[in-house]
Amino acid sequence: MAMLPTQQQLSAQNNAVKGIQELVEAGLTHVPRNYIRPAEERPCLSLVSDKEQVPIINLTGFYGENRERLIQEIGRACEEWGFFQVIGHGVTPSVIENFWAAAINFFQLPPDDKLRFLSEDVRSEVAYITSHNRTKEKVAEWKDTLYFRRLSGVFNGFKQAPEMCREAVLEYMKEITILANAIYKAIFLSLGLSSDYLQKTLPEFQRIVLGINYYPPCPDPDLTFGISGHSDITCLTILTQNDVPGLQVMKNGKWVAVKPVPGSFVVNLGDQTEILSNGKYKSIEHRAVTNLDKTRMSVPCFFSPSEDANIGPLAMLLDDKRNEALYREIRFGDYLNNFYSRPLARKAGVNDSRIKSSHSSTPLSP
């Protein structure tokens, strides 16, 4: 494990890298130039729909008499939205509350204490970053994030979390991983695949990343993003958020605001599930916008396969005539490297994985 930086090194880092939280708390009254999007890339908040809402699924009875109905309900949500919220999920309320308290406490630390975890390495166990991918992006994202990463059999960043939040992180991850595995299996059961088949073929979650996002108030939310439009490279993402709106999803070519539901988790399909399902279920582009006077916090947990896993359409979903493979098989570690080799680019990763139609020289449409 790498040694923590010295105070002298921290001072140099602090001069070079300031989190957006620090800038805002210092009295920022305008959006700095490096955060301003070109006019054609701005949020256009007046065009966002708040009349629709992603499905809300009550998982009560998931392991009992309601199981089959709920699996089909999850399938409909995947097919129609690729996003849904769950309540009645069984995660202990006190575990969620303790985790949130720990998350808030971290972002109340002095800047130098947070900068001790500064890292742009996407394979570091614990990393504090500002924006999303500063080495590749031209315009910064209006957020600071603390990441914990676990790669099975290699390292476990949850156990390396700052002492002030380690116990809360470990307890939270224990329960959220149980929920993620249950939903992940249900997604593929809804496609008519058997439990036995999935047990043998569905890639397990070997790479798990927990991010705590801090989006401070923004003087002009029309100029920038908390995080710009993208799909997740995961199999599955499960997110909890505070009561400040900001998450938006793409639906039929329009952005739809996701209204926070107290006690819920937001679930969205990642690119690997789109590939595994041969496009029957799609990963969905989403983004986070900023808020004029309130801090938004969100906690996504990204569940992915081993970096050595080769991901392609599941064989039981293919045949020689009507259901040919629409995606190339790709090693997940290569997919990961491609994602971080460029700025966020909508659904660029999964689009690159598509097999071109034999009747056309252009890729299949999203």
Side-chain angles (χ1 to χ4, degrees), residues 59-70:
L59 295 180
T60 301
F62 181 76
Y63 295 104
E65 60 183 13
N66 294 333
R67 182 172 177 79
E68 291 304 317
R69 176 181 62 79
L70 288 171

Side-chain angles (χ1 to χ4, degrees), residues 70-307:
L70 288 171
I71 287 172
Q72 295 309 310
E73 197 171 335
I74 288 170
R76 284 194 299 274
C78 290
E79 185 175 9
E80 296 173 7
W81 284 84
F83 255 82
F84 53 96
Q85 298 194 67
V86 294
I87 57 176
H89 43 67
V91 179
T92 308
S94 62
V95 168
I96 300 173
E97 292 166 7
N98 291 341
F99 175 80
W100 270 110
I104 292 168
N105 285 342
F106 176 83
F107 282 96
Q108 291 176 341
L109 290 174
D112 281 357
D113 288 349
K114 289 179 286 190
L115 283 173
R116 287 186 178 276
F117 301 97
L118 187 69
S119 175
E120 297 284 349
D121 184 354
V122 300
R123 291 176 174 84
S124 59
E125 297 165 85
V126 181
Y128 170 71
I129 68 170
T130 65
S131 190
H132 174 73
N133 188 353
R134 296 181 72 96
T135 62
K136 302 298 180 183
E137 61 200 13
K138 294 180 180 179
V139 182
E141 312 279 9
W142 194 272
K143 76 182 184 85
D144 300 329
T145 304
L146 177 65
Y147 283 115
F148 307 102
R149 300 183 178 96
R150 191 199 81 184
L151 190 58
S152 294
V154 181
F155 58 74
N156 188 344
F158 306 131
K159 292 184 177 179
Q160 304 300 327
E163 188 174 353
M164 62 178 292
C165 59
R166 188 176 305 152
E167 183 178 350
V169 166
L170 288 169
E171 287 299 313
Y172 180 80
M173 288 309 305
K174 185 187 303 181
E175 296 205 17
I176 205 70
T177 301
I178 292 171
L179 176 63
N181 276 303
I183 293 174
Y184 181 50
K185 184 176 180 181
I187 289 168
F188 287 92
L189 287 171
S190 73
L191 290 170
L193 301 173
S194 71
S195 292
D196 288 344
Y197 177 76
L198 295 176
Q199 183 71 28
K200 296 173 183 175
T201 61
L202 194 63
E204 295 181 353
F205 297 145
Q206 299 290 330
R207 188 179 193 275
I208 302 178
V209 179
L210 176 70
I212 305 174
N213 295 322
Y214 188 97
Y215 304 96
C218 177
D220 192 341
D222 285 306
L223 296 181
T224 191
F225 285 108
I227 189 165
S228 50
H230 66 285
S231 62
D232 292 344
I233 64 172
T234 59
C235 293
L236 189 72
T237 302
I238 296 186
L239 174 141
T240 181
Q241 57 185 331
N242 67 1
D243 60 355
V244 179
L247 177 62
Q248 299 176 352
V249 304
M250 180 65 75
K251 171 73 168 172
N252 296 330
K254 297 181 179 179
W255 289 106
V256 176
V258 178
K259 301 171 187 175
V261 175
S264 71
F265 288 101
V266 179
V267 180
N268 68 276
L269 308 185
D271 293 348
Q272 308 314 304
T273 290
E274 176 169 336
I275 294 171
L276 288 163
S277 72
N278 201 36
K280 290 179 171 57
Y281 296 153
K282 301 286 198 303
S283 62
I284 300 299
E285 188 179 347
H286 54 286
R287 66 185 190 180
V289 297
T290 59
N291 188 282
L292 183 63
D293 53 13
K294 293 181 180 179
T295 293
R296 179 173 181 263
M297 291 184 70
S298 70
V299 182
C301 195
F302 305 102
F303 294 90
S304 302
S306 163
E307 292 189 25

